[in-house]
Amino acid sequence: MGNNNVMVINMGMKSIRCIIFSQDGVKLGSASQAITTAINDKQVEQNPSEWKEKALRVMRTALGEAGGCHITYITVTTSASCLVCVDKDGNSLGRALMISDKRAEKEADIIGNMLEFSEVKKKTGLDMSASLMLPKILWIKKYAPGIFEKTSFFLTPNDYLISLLCGEYVTDYLNAVKYHYI
């Protein structure tokens, strides 16, 4: 049986990291780079183009440190409930609204008070909050209509990074719930 090496890409509010492990859990290589977070009152944003550039850089560095080993599995983990708007070609259309971005509070109240939402809330068990996806999307629609009109996909950061790596748009259950998708 060959080596099943695992590459872990992790991005948070402060940095993006890449760690490569052997199948027995030995760290083969790692790298990290600081990420710029713009904070202004209720707005908390990061630049997806910076994620892309720095993800490639930390992956390259970690692979070099690991001796260019074969990677069998890649996993991407990031902050939850951050919104990335991308066009039909997968290019980000602007800064990502991070989980702690609170500018969509009015939109969260509007959605939370809708009769239809009470049924969705029963199914997901998740209340409405400005940190979740639907209020952020509604905020984009109201206050950045040019971006909204050009958006083909509303993604989370890990969905965005995965799309860059494999060319497909996928999500997992936990991210889908942040959209109140049931």
Side-chain angles (χ1 to χ4, degrees):
M1 182 176 182
N3 279 344
N4 291 316
N5 298 317
V6 178
M7 176 182 281
V8 178
I9 301 165
N10 173 262
M11 189 188 71
M13 290 294 287
K14 296 181 179 182
S15 66
I16 187 163
R17 297 163 289 286
C18 179
I19 306 171
I20 300 171
F21 296 98
S22 70
Q23 65 189 25
D24 8 339
V26 174
K27 183 170 86 168
L28 302 174
S30 66
S32 68
Q33 291 262 288
I35 295 281
T36 305
T37 301
I39 301 172
N40 182 3
D41 192 29
K42 293 183 178 189
Q43 298 179 12
V44 181
E45 302 174 329
Q46 288 184 350
N47 186 342
S49 297
E50 180 183 6
W51 301 341
K52 179 180 178 179
E53 172 194 325
K54 291 186 175 177
L56 293 173
R57 192 177 303 152
V58 296
M59 290 167 61
R60 199 174 304 118
T61 302
L63 274 169
E65 190 175 299
C69 67
H70 174 76
I71 302 298
T72 307
Y73 304 103
I74 298 176
T75 184
V76 178
T77 61
T78 64
S79 297
S81 295
C82 305
L83 181 65
V84 183
C85 299
V86 299
D87 66 15
K88 63 181 176 47
D89 298 318
N91 300 308
S92 69
L93 295 168
R95 293 180 161 277
L97 280 61
M98 303 307 286
I99 186 170
S100 46
D101 190 295
K102 301 295 182 209
R103 71 184 99 172
E105 289 173 337
K106 290 179 186 174
E107 290 73 19
D109 288 342
I110 290 167
I111 296 168
N113 290 318
M114 296 173 105
L115 182 60
E116 298 86 352
F117 179 71
S118 62
E119 194 61 36
V120 171
K121 182 179 173 181
K122 284 181 196 173
K123 291 180 181 177
T124 64
L126 191 60
D127 206 352
M128 186 52 63
S129 145
S131 66
L132 297 174
M133 306 306 272
L134 293 178
K136 289 176 181 167
I137 292 169
L138 185 55
W139 188 93
I140 294 288
K141 183 177 181 181
K142 289 168 80 173
Y143 298 104
I147 289 174
F148 184 84
E149 290 300 319
K150 293 177 187 170
T151 299
S152 292
F153 300 98
F154 296 103
L155 304 175
T156 64
N158 58 319
D159 299 340
Y160 173 75
L161 290 171
I162 289 169
S163 73
L164 294 175
L165 293 171
C166 69
E168 295 192 28
Y169 298 102
V170 297
T171 196
D172 60 36
Y173 173 80
L174 295 175
N175 279 323
V177 168
K178 301 293 189 315
Y179 286 92
H180 286 86
Y181 182 79
I182 48 175

